[in-house]
Amino acid sequence: MGADKNPAGWFEIPVADMARAKAFYEHLLGLELEERAMGTSRMAWFPMARDVVGAAGALVLGEGMNPSMEGALVYFTAPDLEGALARAKEKGSEVLAGRTDIGAFGFYGLIKDSEGNRIGLHSRT
């Protein structure tokens, strides 16, 4: 793998209630997710584009997909970090870490999503 690509190519966020999770993420990020069946699972795909920076992914409702505060941590780009944290609270999310300065890398915040997953938000400014 060359230096022109990031190693992560896809992520999946486990959910217990697809409608609730889809509404949460659409409100949080201001975008629309596309829901579809994939075998015995239900998925809601985040918008994706080819040949751009960042990994694509989906919410997944299915066997073995259990929301958790432990394990891998997905960070979403949130140019307006304060706004994203406020939108998370509007949907009943718990803010685990408010806007935190990480120097030259910008700022981050952590939330507990509608399903009980720990999720990160990142902003360069």
Side-chain angles (χ1 to χ4, degrees):
M1 180 177 310
D4 61 333
K5 296 199 186 316
N6 290 315
W10 183 259
F11 64 85
E12 294 183 348
I13 299 173
V15 305
D17 181 317
M18 182 59 78
R20 177 181 62 208
K22 187 172 178 275
F24 177 84
Y25 280 94
E26 288 178 339
H27 182 75
L28 176 70
L29 301 172
L31 46 80
E32 190 172 322
L33 281 68
E34 179 184 337
E35 193 172 342
R36 61 178 68 188
M38 296 291 288
T40 59
S41 297
R42 295 281 319 152
M43 298 181 88
W45 292 14
F46 290 91
M48 62 183 99
R50 295 187 187 276
D51 301 321
V52 297
V53 175
L59 304 176
V60 182
L61 175 65
E63 187 175 330
M65 298 301 289
N66 304 308
S68 173
M69 290 285 289
E70 302 169 357
L73 176 58
V74 174
Y75 280 82
F76 286 95
T77 301
D80 174 14
L81 182 57
E82 292 293 339
L85 291 169
R87 286 189 300 279
K89 284 194 231 179
E90 288 170 4
K91 285 291 194 178
S93 176
E94 178 182 349
V95 174
L96 304 171
R99 182 181 175 94
T100 303
D101 189 334
I102 51 176
F105 300 104
F107 301 86
Y108 79 92
L110 297 175
I111 64 170
K112 182 176 181 181
D113 75 2
S114 63
E115 307 306 292
N117 295 300
R118 182 177 52 134
I119 298 294
L121 301 168
H122 176 258
S123 174
R124 291 272 181 198
T125 58

